[in-house]
Structures are given as structure tokens and as C-alpha cells.
Amino acid sequence: MSEGAGFTLSPDEIECLKDRRWWCFLLSSIFTFLAGLLIVLLWRAFSVIFCKQDGAEYSQSDTKKDPKAPRQKQEFEGTFVTEAKDWAGELISGQTTTGRILVVLVFVLSITSLIIYFIDASSSEGVEQCKEWATNTTQQIDLAFNIFFMVYFFIRFIAASDKLWFMLEMYSFVDYFTIPPSFVSIYLDRTWIGLRFLRALRLMTVPDILQYLNILKTSSSIRLAQLVSIFISVWLTAAGIIHLLENSGDPLEFNNPNQLSYWTCVYFLIVTMSTVGYGDVYCQTVLGRTFLVFFLLVGLAIFASCIPEIIDLIGTRPKYGGTLKNERGRRHIVVCGHITYESVSHFLKDFLHEDREDVDVEVVFLHRKPPDLELEGLFKRHFTTVEFFQGSIMNPIDLQRVKVHEADACLVLANKYCQDPDAEDAANIMRVISIKNYSDDIRVIIQLMQYHNKAYLLNIPSWDWKRGDDVICLAELKLGFIAQSCLAPGFSTMMANLFAMRSFKTSPETPKWQNDYLQGTGCEMYTETLSPSFVGMTFPQASELCFTKLKLLLLAIEIKSDDGNDSKIAINPRGAKISANTQGFFIAQSADEVKRAWFYCKACHEDVKDETLIKKCKCKNCDDYSIIEITTIPNSVPNIKTPHRVTLSVKANGGRPSDGNIAQSPSPEYGTYRSQLGRQESAQKAQSQGFPTLKRPTSRGSIVNSTHNSGGLQAGIADDQARDFDFEKTEMKYDSTGMFHWCPSKGLEECILDRNQAAMTVLNGHVVVCLFADPDSPLIGLRNLVMPLRASNFHYHELKHVVIVGSVDYIRREWKMLQNLPKISVLNGSPLSRADLRAVNVNLCDMCVILSAKVPSNDDPTLADKEAILASLNIKAMTFDDTIGVLSQHIPSIHSPLASPIVLQRRGSVYGSNVPMITELVNDSNVQFLDQDDDDDPDTELYLTQPFACGTAFAVSVLDSLMSTTYFNQNALTLIRSLITGGATPELELILAEGAGLRGGYSTLETISNRDRCRVGQISLYDGPLAQYGEGGKYGDLFVAALRHYGMLCIGLYRFRDTSSSVEASSKRYVVTNPPDDFTLLPTDQVFVLIQFDPGLEYLPNRGESMVREEPP
């Protein structure tokens, strides 16, 4: 035995290696290449020669005799060759399944062959070995691979259009220098590691293969794969050349080999290409150094160009690419549209609130732009429940990435501060179309800016209310909230706090009024199934039990139709009885509290005094009912906000309020009552009972505009309109759905006032709308403000007159939707003009609403509310005479059995600061400028500021919480919309979608029955039948008395912030939502109530002297 340089050789191997045969392997490859090239050239030469001879054999005359003869021969030969070429082309292309399999197989075998080379090159046995082929396992495997590569070479040769160029291709040379040496090694019984490293060049096909498999789709990923594959291929191939030359030594003696392993060569090349050059490894042979000199010219260029581009592509690669991996099997929702720090923070704060129990839902945001640093930090804080992906909701590939088809719902957020609301709505509707086109059964909840754009959603074939699709129209709800504040000041604040998830923390250092208010902000709206103990009770009985025993406020119940396919939400229904599995709508502090309604058992809990001890009992009744309840749980709509057992069903009518969804339809008893009593008798009965709606003094008492003017004072606008539209004599009093008052169309010019006409008009108890708008400002949908004030559950004489102060050019564009609503006047003036404000008696109004339709400026968004703030401060700075509007009228006995003169008094405000006012703000931070005497910090959240707590400010941002509320509880949105809009129905929305305004309709039993629904009201404890509770009474006693005797459901208080009797005491009030039953009342308190419809005052404008309202000192 003798030792070579780094390895041991036997005597036989030493003798064998004295005769080097490397040239045989190399010549076989060169001969194969030259032979193939010669064959192709000869074939081309013969083809050219024979083609010319064939052309000469056929003369012109022969062609005329039989023109098809040569063509038939050519077609036969051409057809055979073409079919073979097509067959081979399909076989090697990645367009067919067979082609893709073959391409992938060739790549895999090439890499396997390269790995075999790595194994052989890493051994220390030299580049040439005298080893019998039969005992060389790696060579046997490599031969099998090379046979396959040879077959693949011939298939590629057949498919090639230009055979000569095919012979000169790079991958053809790879085959020349790797396949023939495998067969030579069998004959010579020796192996030469040779040029097998050229298989590394096959790595350049990786990008093509990944595209065939549809793995690489973007240009950046394809380019990155190309650069990486080129760099690695060149690197590994050059390392193989260095390994061969250094381990072989210099020819012809080969007596100076430099034994380097293949991986040492790989290391040496990367150090050299990067110009680091440690010097620990270097080339010793002349051939190795010569190759390195020329390679460095190429290697350095590749390193200098590829590496920076690779780093750049990796750096610019979307950080938020990839695909959603829902490994834990959690449900997820996709949120898209307007994704900013503000919108996302508001959404997540409400969606992930602790009061929602276990929110096991992952929130996935999809947006075309990457998040900024602030938004990125927000995502990191919620990384366990929130993911962000960069992409477009309009791209099906991106929809697939976030798995929209598996999502629980898709939410589309709108930009509330956009320059063009219609364009914003159009973009969001297109997003819905894209989502529905990708997955037609996905539930979609969308925010829209403008009411009239809701109609376009109905054009989407797969848009279906029944599957939970819903739209939150910001203009509709915003103006609806403000409209309800005109009827019950502060109600907008109460409702906004109810559907927003908030936690309150009281403190001894905090003023009492703030603690009372904050306790109310912690209340939210929940749903729960009522326990079997409630079955058979009337709604007032159930509501009283919930309040007194369970400390819960039951607002409404879900009433199912006889067939069980349809359901409606009945708010404080008259005479409705609780049936099994009835869903109740509650106001409570948390979902745990609401569970008491489900756990309550009369047998077990009747004597329990502490409501916190009402837990699930184990008596037989509850167990039986639990079985019934479990069988009725649907799983189509999520309801995390309610306890786990209860899941609100998607109603058969799509979850939208139908004609009867708002309140309980008239009971048989009510129908009999109505048929037996005439107007005179019902009026007498109402007065004799002292019904609170007759006697309740609202915060701003309403002036009654009679349809009969017996003279004495200048006729007001209401009287002029009464002559044009006689409510009692007309056949069509309501719209076709019976939900709103209706009158024949009026031209805008008939309703326009100038300043002198307005000053001579008796305007009292009206609503003044101060509207800032340019002639081309986007429409805000004033009908959404006026329609709730024209709901049919008001009697005609109860409707408040609406006076709009603003630009007639703008109002003319809105008028088409207002022309069929009664009691509207327009003053062409400026809301900043004190003369115009005095002309419309702003000091005598029930509410002054300040709106702006102007587009916010991009330069400084904080100035978006400048006109509204200036108008608010202007009115507060005004002073007025201490006037009292007096109207004396004699009402015929047919209307009033008392036949006594009715004196209507309304004491006006002396100071503008006492004028009831609500200002709409675009930017939340501007609320600090409304009240100059408050001490709110500029960074205080909107709901904690004094103007919002007092109900004098409203911002559209409070509606952000409705997205979460709608997702978790679809019926809650239906309930809110029912209370706010005054009774909008799907039928009405279809009518309004036509763009022609309200349609009048003849009164039928069905439409008249729609009037019997609850409405929001506000009663005073200063006078009236409930005044006794204002003298230090308790709220619980008031709640029970109002519900038992008058059917009114109390939901909160509107209390003076400063209860002292000093002259300098503030006249501001604040909202107390759902006070505890031991809450002490004050005579100056006003109570928010849900009032049932009273049919006895249809044509009776007489509310008697009880309507006289004087503010207590």
C-alpha cells in the first residue's frame, strides 16, 4: 500500500493510475458533439439539394396536368414530421400535465445527479479512480439517470424548430459532457469525476418550473428566483472547475495536484468573488490560476450586479404578502376600504372590547398600501388577533390570500372625511361587487356615506338581507340621531353610548354629574333568550320584573310569525305576551348581567333579593327548557355579544324591519277600542285619564298649529299651509307604506320666506336647521333629518315645523326628496346672520340644528367645522327680549268637549346660551371649541366631553361602533334603525330608490296599523301626573308607575348639570342612561321614554293648559 496526497492507494490502483485515461472521457463528449453537429449539417445539405432537384423535375406543364401530386407528397411528409414535433413539443412543455410532470422530473433527477457528484467530489479518492463499474454504486445510479437524460435529449431534439441552434444550446452542452462519460466508464472500468458539475447549470430552470407549477406569480418573485438561480449555478459550476483543475494537476505530467475538497472550492470562490480574499485557500496549478483570472472578470461582475439586486428585491418585497394561515381553526373576518390608524383604532377598540366575553375571531385587514409606523405599531399590539395583508380587494388573487371564501364576514369601512362622498360610496360598492363576485355567499357589512347610494346595492344579484348583508348609511343614521334629539334633546348621546362598547370608572374626585354620566356610558345593548318563567307575561310585566328583580332594562322583544318563518322586533309593544324562546333586547353593563334573564327561575329566585345571586338553577323547568332552546340555535349569524347559548337567527325577511317590525301590530282589544270610540269620546277618555302624552311638558314645549284660525293674530306659516293642505279632508294623509306623513308636492318657491315674511310669522316650538352649503356641495340627504320628524306615529298637529336657513340653490337640489313632507319652510339667508336667526325666532325653537354640507379641505382638516362652530358661538352670544308667544283660539265642540279657549304659551330664551342646540362636527377634536366655559382637555375622547355628554354635539365618528355591533348582533342594528329613522322599511327604500320621493297612499287597515308603534319622547317631572316622583322620589318607583299606568318605558334622565338654585347656575343638562332603581329624582329632571301610540288625538290640536311650560327657576 502507498499513500497519495491525502488518500491511500493500493498497489493495483497505483499501477492503473500510471496510465491516465481522462482524455478518453473528454474525447467521447467532444466526439458526440461533433458527430451530432455533422449529422445536422449533412441533413440540412441533403434537404437543400433534394428540394432543388424535386423542384426541377416538375415542369410547368406537369404542374398544370397534376398540380396536386407534389403537394400531396409534401403534405404527407410534412404531416408526419409536424405530428412528431407537436407530440414532442407537448411532452416537454409545461402547458400540459404530462409536460409539467416531465419537466419537474428532469429537474429533480438533475439535482439528484448533482448531489451524487457532490458525494464523489467530497471524497478524498482523487478525480480519477480505477474502480470496477460493477462495484461503483454511485456510478450505476448516475448511469440510470443519464439514460433518462439521453431520452429527454432526443425528445427535445425532435421538438426543436432549428436543430442547429439546439445543438449549440447550453443545456445541450451539459448533456454532451455528462452523458457519454457514463458509458465510457463501463468500458474502461474506471471513473473520472470530469465535468459532471455542469448539472449545476440546471438550477437556472428553477424559475421556469416554479412558474409552470403556478407558484411564482409576481414579476418581483420571478426576477428574484432568476437572480438567485443564476448566481448559485455559476458559483457551483466554477467551484467544480477549480476542483477538477486543482486536484488533477498541470498536464501533461499531472505531478502537482492540490488536493481540495469540493466544498473548500465553494468557500474559496465566494471569498474571492466578494473581494475579501483571506488567503487561507489559493490555487497552485497553472490551469487553476489561469481559469481564476478569467473567471474573476465574470464572477465579480455577477457578484456586483446580482447581489445588490437580490437584496433590493428582498428589501422591497411586500412585507405584508403571503397567505392567511388559520392554523388554530378560528373564525376570521376581512376588513377593507378606508384603513387608517384612526379608523382601525376605533374599530378594534370596540370590536375587541372586554365586555364582549370571548371574541374568538381573527381580524384580517386588506389594503393596497402598507401601514405607516403608527398603524404598524397598533397591529403589533394586537398581533394575537389582528393580521394585515397588502393587496387589493378588487384582485381575486388577494381575496384568495386572505381566504375571503372562508371568512365569517367582510366589512367595508368608508372614509368619513372624503372630498367626494359619492365617489367614496361608488368605490366601496365596487369592493362589494368584487367580494360577491368571488364568493356570493359571504356576509358583507358596508358603510356608505349617502343614503341614495343604498339603492345600488340592490342591483347586486347576490346581495341578500336574509344572509346577513347589511349597510350602515352614515348620513341616514347621523341625521336620524339629530332628528331624535329634536324630539328628545340628549337622545343622540344616549343611543350613541348604548351601541358603543365602553367601560366606566368612577372616582370620588370626579364631579357627581360626570360619575352619573359615566355610569350610563358603560351600558350597552345586548340580546338574550327569556327564561321559561317569563312565558305568558305581557311585555310590561316582563319589563317590570327585569328592572325591579334582575336590574335589567328590557327594551324590546322579537316576535315570530305564526309559521315561524318571519319575525319582527317589537319595541315596548302594547299587549304582546312572551312566548317560549323569545329573544329580549336589554340595556345592561355587561353580558354577564344579561344572563340573569336566561337563568331566572320563579321557583328558585322569587325570594332572592341580591340580583348577583341569580345563577343557573337545576330545577326541572329550566332543564327541560334548555333542551328546547338548544335545538333552536342556528349557526348562520355570529352573536358574540350575547351569551353563548343564544345566537340570533337571520330573519326570514332578511333582518330588515318590515312594515310591522317596528312595533307590535294592533291587538284585537285595541282594534275593538278604536272601532267603538269616536274621536270625541277617545279625546274625552284621554283627558279624563290624564294620559301623560297630553300633559307631558317637554324640554321645549311644542306650539300647536291649529287647522282652524279664528283670527286675532297674524296667521303663521303653519296656518297658511293648513289652508293649502287640509289634513282632515284629504284622502291621502300618509305615504304608501303608512309610516310617514305625506302631502301633495309643493314647489320650493311656495315654501321660501324672506326675512320680513319670517319675522311676521308666528313660529314657536319649531325646529331651525342652520345649513351651511355651497350650490355645488355634496347632498347630505336632508330628508333623513325631516322624515323622522314626520313619522306617522305622531299626530298631524304634533309635527314640529321645520325651518331651513341656508342657500336656496343648494336646497333646490335636495327639494325633490322634501316636497312631499308637510310643514317645511325655507329662509334664503345665512345661518351666521343674526337678523335671519331672529326672523325665524331661534329663541322660541324646540331645537336649533347646525349642519354643514361643505367639503372639508385637505390642507387643514381641523377647519372643516369652522362655520358650524362660528354659528354655534354666534347664537350663544345673542340676547333676546323676554317674549311670550300667545295664541288664543276657540276650538269647535266637535274637537273639544270642553269648548274652552286654548291658550298656548311658550316662554322664549332671553340668552342665546339657553337656546337648545345640537351641532354636527366632522372633526372630533373641534368639540373643545363649542363650550368656552368647559374644562375638557383637548385630548379627551369625544364621548367624555361636556358638549357630547350634554347632547349639544354630535360627530359621525360615533357611528364607527355600529360595524362591530352589526357583526355581532344584526338585530341590534334593526332596533337602532327602527328607533332612529322613524320607521324606514325595505318597501320604502325601494320606493325612494326610484328617486322620485315619497308616494302617497290611501289609508287601509294595514297601513293605518303601521302607525301603532313606539316613539321616543321626553316628559318632565316638574308638572303632570308623574310630578310626585320629582320631589325626591326614586327612579325605580317612577319606572314602575310610568309603565303600569301609562305604558311608557323609561330609559334614562336628562338632568341639569348644576342643580343649585343660584342665579349663575348653568342651564346645561347631561344624559344619565338607565339609572339604578334607587337613583334620587329632582323636579327639574326630564325623563327619556318610549311612548306607545295614542289613537285618541288624531284631529285634536287641543292639549289644554297642561301644555303651558315654564322653566323652573
Side-chain angles (χ1 to χ4, degrees):
M1 301 288 290
S2 66
E3 294 183 1
F7 52 90
T8 304
L9 298 175
S10 64
D12 294 336
E13 289 176 334
I14 294 174
E15 186 66 26
C16 177
L17 288 176
K18 287 182 179 179
D19 183 17
R20 298 276 184 173
R21 297 290 182 90
W22 59 269
W23 54 270
C24 296
F25 295 94
L26 194 59
L27 280 179
S28 67
S29 298
I30 296 173
F31 176 78
T32 303
F33 166 67
L34 294 176
L37 192 63
L38 180 63
I39 291 172
V40 170
L41 291 174
L42 289 175
W43 177 268
R44 282 200 169 187
F46 284 128
S47 297
V48 171
I49 294 172
F50 282 110
C51 284
K52 288 183 178 180
Q53 289 181 352
D54 290 343
E57 287 178 0
Y58 293 97
S59 63
Q60 189 73 15
S61 59
D62 294 337
T63 304
K64 291 181 180 178
K65 291 179 182 179
D66 191 5
K68 295 183 179 179
R71 187 180 303 170
Q72 289 174 352
K73 183 178 179 181
Q74 290 176 3
E75 286 180 356
F76 173 76
E77 293 177 353
T79 301
F80 174 76
V81 174
T82 302
E83 286 183 355
K85 185 182 291 185
D86 291 343
W87 170 81
E90 289 181 2
L91 200 60
I92 66 171
S93 70
Q95 305 304 316
T96 62
T97 303
T98 305
R100 283 193 288 270
I101 293 174
L102 184 61
V103 170
V104 172
L105 186 60
V106 169
F107 173 76
V108 171
L109 294 181
S110 297
I111 299 303
T112 307
S113 178
L114 184 63
I115 293 173
I116 293 174
Y117 165 77
F118 291 157
I119 295 172
D120 290 343
S122 299
S123 65
S124 56
E125 298 182 0
V127 294
E128 189 173 348
Q129 303 173 31
C130 291
K131 183 182 290 187
E132 293 185 2
W133 186 85
T135 61
N136 196 336
T137 306
T138 57
Q139 289 298 311
Q140 293 172 0
I141 297 173
D142 194 54
L143 177 66
F145 289 167
N146 283 323
I147 292 173
F148 174 81
F149 293 141
M150 183 173 64
V151 174
Y152 184 63
F153 175 87
F154 285 119
I155 294 174
R156 287 165 48 223
F157 179 81
I158 294 172
S161 299
D162 191 332
K163 312 296 184 187
L164 181 61
W165 282 112
F166 170 78
M167 298 297 293
L168 301 176
E169 281 183 356
M170 181 182 68
Y171 295 121
S172 297
F173 278 100
V174 172
D175 290 333
Y176 300 149
F177 289 99
T178 55
I179 296 175
S182 295
F183 294 96
V184 173
S185 65
I186 301 175
Y187 176 76
L188 296 179
D189 263 344
R190 65 170 64 197
T191 60
W192 181 56
I193 202 165
L195 304 178
R196 285 158 54 193
F197 54 78
L198 292 177
R199 290 286 179 206
L201 296 176
R202 279 282 178 189
L203 291 173
M204 292 186 182
T205 62
V206 169
D208 298 330
I209 294 173
L210 294 180
Q211 289 181 74
Y212 292 152
L213 299 178
N214 204 27
I215 295 175
L216 296 182
K217 300 177 182 178
T218 63
S219 59
S220 60
S221 61
I222 294 172
R223 179 58 180 163
L224 180 63
Q226 289 174 344
L227 291 172
V228 172
S229 61
I230 290 173
F231 179 78
I232 293 178
S233 299
V234 173
W235 179 18
L236 296 180
T237 302
I241 296 175
I242 293 292
H243 175 267
L244 176 65
L245 296 178
E246 287 296 302
N247 282 275
S248 298
D250 288 322
L252 297 170
E253 299 298 330
F254 301 102
N255 55 2
N256 61 336
N258 179 22
Q259 299 299 324
L260 297 175
S261 69
Y262 177 77
W263 299 113
T264 303
C265 296
V266 170
Y267 160 77
F268 165 67
L269 273 184
I270 195 63
V271 170
T272 304
M273 281 194 299
S274 62
T275 69
V276 176
Y278 291 116
D280 53 341
V281 180
Y282 53 91
C283 293
Q284 295 181 1
T285 65
V286 174
L287 286 180
R289 292 175 179 178
T290 303
F291 167 77
L292 194 61
V293 168
F294 291 101
F295 174 75
L296 285 180
L297 300 176
V298 179
L300 284 177
I302 293 177
F303 191 92
S305 61
C306 288
I307 297 300
E309 190 173 354
I310 289 172
I311 294 174
D312 184 57
L313 286 172
I314 294 175
T316 57
R317 190 180 181 186
K319 182 178 178 181
Y320 298 98
T323 304
L324 175 67
K325 295 180 177 63
N326 200 352
E327 298 173 350
R328 288 179 288 178
R330 289 196 305 176
R331 294 179 302 165
H332 74 282
I333 63 171
V334 178
V335 183
C336 60
H338 183 62
I339 306 298
T340 63
Y341 176 79
E342 182 185 15
S343 63
V344 171
S345 59
H346 286 167
F347 174 79
L348 291 179
K349 184 177 181 180
D350 194 80
F351 191 89
L352 303 176
H353 197 275
E354 57 186 3
D355 283 354
R356 290 200 188 277
E357 291 193 306
D358 300 324
V359 184
D360 192 23
V361 180
E362 188 171 6
V363 184
V364 178
F365 290 93
L366 180 64
H367 193 53
R368 59 187 180 85
K369 293 183 179 179
D372 55 24
L373 295 177
E374 194 176 22
L375 184 55
E376 190 176 32
L378 179 64
F379 290 144
K380 288 179 180 178
R381 290 194 293 274
H382 297 91
F383 72 97
T384 57
T385 53
V386 175
E387 275 196 79
F388 181 89
F389 290 90
Q390 187 175 355
S392 172
I393 203 72
M394 304 299 295
N395 189 346
I397 296 176
D398 292 330
L399 293 177
Q400 184 178 4
R401 288 171 49 216
V402 297
K403 298 183 179 179
V404 164
H405 57 287
E406 298 177 9
D408 214 33
C410 192
L411 280 59
V412 184
L413 302 180
N415 180 8
K416 299 181 292 296
Y417 314 112
C418 60
Q419 297 285 312
D420 188 347
D422 285 315
E424 175 70 12
D425 284 349
N428 285 333
I429 292 172
M430 281 302 299
R431 292 184 176 104
V432 174
I433 293 174
S434 174
I435 295 166
K436 287 290 188 180
N437 188 54
Y438 179 78
S439 177
D440 58 0
D441 59 347
I442 183 71
R443 182 186 179 201
V444 176
I445 304 172
I446 177 178
Q447 279 184 342
L448 288 182
M449 298 293 295
Q450 304 284 36
Y451 181 82
H452 58 265
N453 291 324
K454 290 174 68 173
Y456 299 116
L457 291 170
L458 303 177
N459 300 331
I460 303 175
S462 53
W463 180 268
D464 190 357
W465 307 104
K466 297 179 182 179
R467 283 203 290 253
D469 295 336
D470 219 329
V471 54
I472 298 172
C473 179
L474 299 178
E476 174 191 24
L477 294 173
K478 173 187 69 178
L479 295 177
F481 273 99
I482 294 174
Q484 295 301 329
S485 288
C486 296
L487 303 170
F491 185 75
S492 60
T493 294
M494 174 183 290
M495 287 302 298
N497 287 335
L498 280 180
F499 61 73
M501 282 290 186
R502 296 185 177 122
S503 299
F504 74 96
K505 292 181 181 179
T506 58
S507 170
E509 292 80 17
T510 307
K512 184 180 184 305
W513 77 268
Q514 287 189 4
N515 282 333
D516 294 341
Y517 170 72
L518 287 174
Q519 185 176 5
T521 62
C523 292
E524 292 95 24
M525 200 174 293
Y526 297 92
T527 58
E528 177 60 284
T529 302
L530 295 173
S531 74
S533 297
F534 288 93
V535 175
M537 292 185 183
T538 62
F539 178 84
Q541 291 171 339
S543 184
E544 180 181 337
L545 174 61
C546 287
F547 186 81
T548 57
K549 190 78 174 178
L550 310 180
K551 309 306 180 191
L552 302 173
L553 177 54
L554 177 62
L555 281 181
I557 56 175
E558 186 180 28
I559 299 179
K560 296 183 179 179
S561 60
D562 296 336
D563 56 5
N565 295 328
D566 197 4
S567 61
K568 62 182 180 180
I569 297 176
I571 304 171
N572 187 19
R574 186 200 313 264
K577 290 192 174 181
I578 308 297
S579 57
N581 290 315
T582 296
Q583 291 278 352
F585 292 78
F586 297 88
I587 292 177
Q589 294 284 348
S590 67
D592 289 333
E593 291 186 5
V594 183
K595 290 179 182 178
R596 299 170 195 158
W598 166 250
F599 294 149
Y600 177 72
C601 172
K602 185 176 181 181
C604 302
H605 300 136
E606 188 169 14
D607 298 329
V608 176
K609 302 299 182 183
D610 185 357
E611 69 277 2
T612 59
L613 299 179
I614 298 179
K615 305 291 184 182
K616 185 176 181 180
C617 62
K618 298 181 179 180
C619 66
K620 186 174 184 295
N621 292 334
C622 288
D623 290 341
D624 293 342
Y625 190 64
S626 297
I627 297 172
I628 298 173
E629 209 284 326
I630 289 172
T631 60
T632 61
I633 295 180
N635 54 13
S636 57
V637 176
N639 183 20
I640 307 302
K641 190 168 183 177
T642 62
H644 292 300
R645 299 168 318 289
V646 184
T647 303
L648 288 176
S649 61
V650 178
K651 298 182 290 184
N653 65 350
R656 303 277 304 183
S658 64
D659 289 350
N661 271 5
I662 310 305
Q664 169 71 13
S665 298
S667 61
E669 294 82 3
Y670 164 60
T672 306
Y673 166 80
R674 179 166 186 143
S675 62
Q676 290 177 350
L677 296 180
R679 269 177 273 156
Q680 180 178 357
E681 294 166 338
S682 61
Q684 289 176 340
K685 182 175 180 180
Q687 287 193 355
S688 64
Q689 290 181 344
F691 193 75
T693 54
L694 303 181
K695 304 179 73 63
R696 76 177 190 280
T698 60
S699 61
R700 308 295 294 181
S702 299
I703 183 69
V704 175
N705 296 305
S706 173
T707 57
H708 300 277
N709 182 16
S710 58
L713 292 178
Q714 173 69 37
I717 282 297
D719 304 286
D720 291 339
Q721 290 190 348
R723 286 195 290 269
D724 295 335
F725 171 53
D726 193 327
F727 181 82
E728 190 171 352
K729 294 180 181 179
T730 186
E731 294 181 349
M732 291 192 292
K733 305 178 179 67
Y734 311 104
D735 75 301
S736 55
T737 65
M739 305 300 284
F740 295 93
H741 284 274
W742 180 91
C743 71
S745 299
K746 283 181 171 291
L748 177 59
E749 285 69 21
E750 299 177 48
C751 300
I752 293 179
L753 302 173
D754 58 28
R755 191 180 297 169
N756 294 329
Q757 288 176 315
M760 297 175 62
T761 302
V762 177
L763 287 172
N764 198 345
H766 54 301
V767 174
V768 176
V769 180
C770 297
L771 179 62
F772 291 94
D774 296 322
D776 58 345
S777 295
L779 300 180
I780 60 173
L782 281 175
R783 67 172 171 200
N784 296 307
L785 174 67
V786 181
M787 283 178 63
L789 303 176
R790 299 294 175 264
S792 61
N793 53 0
F794 288 97
H795 298 296
Y796 182 77
H797 65 271
E798 293 178 314
L799 302 181
K800 296 178 184 294
H801 200 88
V802 176
V803 182
I804 305 172
V805 181
S807 169
V808 169
D809 294 332
Y810 172 83
I811 297 172
R812 182 171 282 108
R813 296 166 55 209
E814 294 259 16
W815 191 251
K816 183 185 292 185
M817 295 301 170
L818 299 175
Q819 60 187 359
N820 294 111
L821 297 172
K823 297 188 181 181
I824 300 178
S825 299
V826 176
L827 175 64
N828 187 14
S830 170
L832 290 174
S833 169
R834 293 193 176 188
D836 290 340
L837 295 173
R838 293 184 192 278
V840 297
N841 289 356
V842 71
N843 61 316
L844 296 175
C845 70
D846 269 2
M847 182 60 68
C848 177
V849 179
I850 302 177
L851 303 174
S852 177
K854 293 187 176 182
V855 177
S857 172
N858 277 335
D859 299 334
D860 192 353
T862 57
L863 295 179
D865 301 309
K866 55 183 181 297
E867 291 94 351
I869 293 172
L870 290 176
S872 174
L873 298 178
N874 181 46
I875 294 174
K876 290 177 181 178
M878 294 174 66
T879 57
F880 305 91
D881 296 333
D882 189 9
T883 56
I884 301 178
V886 181
L887 179 62
S888 177
Q889 294 180 345
H890 288 80
I891 308 300
S893 59
I894 187 173
H895 293 293
S896 173
L898 304 177
S900 57
I902 308 302
V903 180
L904 303 173
Q905 298 190 99
R906 173 70 161 78
R907 184 175 297 278
S909 301
V910 179
Y911 301 104
S913 58
N914 293 332
V915 173
M917 194 184 321
I918 183 167
T919 306
E920 180 220 354
L921 296 176
V922 174
N923 196 310
D924 292 3
S925 61
N926 288 332
V927 72
Q928 60 182 310
F929 304 118
L930 285 179
D931 276 345
Q932 301 298 308
D933 58 343
D934 62 20
D935 53 357
D936 290 328
D937 189 276
D939 296 328
T940 304
E941 289 187 71
L942 176 67
Y943 83 97
L944 295 174
T945 60
Q946 291 187 34
F948 187 79
C950 298
T952 59
F954 188 83
V956 70
S957 63
V958 303
L959 300 178
D960 289 340
S961 302
L962 271 179
M963 291 294 281
S964 303
T965 303
T966 305
Y967 168 72
F968 287 115
N969 190 344
Q970 183 188 359
N971 283 354
L973 179 63
T974 306
L975 176 66
I976 292 169
R977 189 183 281 125
S978 302
L979 279 172
I980 295 304
T981 63
T985 64
E987 179 187 356
L988 181 66
E989 291 191 354
L990 290 174
I991 294 172
L992 295 176
E994 299 292 328
L998 287 174
R999 290 205 304 255
Y1002 294 98
S1003 297
T1004 64
L1005 289 176
E1006 182 180 0
T1007 58
I1008 290 297
S1009 67
N1010 287 336
R1011 299 188 64 198
D1012 184 31
R1013 61 189 193 274
C1014 253
R1015 60 183 173 89
V1016 177
Q1018 201 172 59
I1019 62 171
S1020 173
L1021 298 182
Y1022 182 68
D1023 55 5
L1026 297 175
Q1028 56 178 317
Y1029 298 100
E1031 300 294 339
K1034 299 299 182 183
Y1035 180 78
D1037 299 331
L1038 170 68
F1039 182 92
V1040 172
L1043 189 61
R1044 283 184 181 178
H1045 303 303
Y1046 308 111
M1048 294 188 300
L1049 187 63
C1050 302
I1051 56 177
L1053 298 175
Y1054 199 42
R1055 168 170 289 190
F1056 277 123
R1057 196 184 72 184
D1058 190 348
T1059 56
S1060 66
S1061 58
S1062 65
V1063 178
E1064 298 179 355
S1066 172
S1067 61
K1068 295 176 183 176
R1069 293 178 180 267
Y1070 65 96
V1071 176
V1072 184
T1073 306
N1074 189 26
D1077 56 354
D1078 59 349
F1079 195 83
T1080 304
L1081 300 174
L1082 300 174
T1084 56
D1085 287 343
Q1086 294 179 4
V1087 187
F1088 293 104
V1089 291
L1090 297 176
I1091 307 173
Q1092 293 176 345
F1093 176 69
D1094 176 26
L1097 294 177
E1098 183 65 68
Y1099 306 106
L1100 187 66
N1102 172 11
R1103 277 188 265 183
E1105 296 185 0
S1106 59
M1107 281 304 299
V1108 176
R1109 173 75 167 100
E1110 293 190 16
E1111 294 287 346

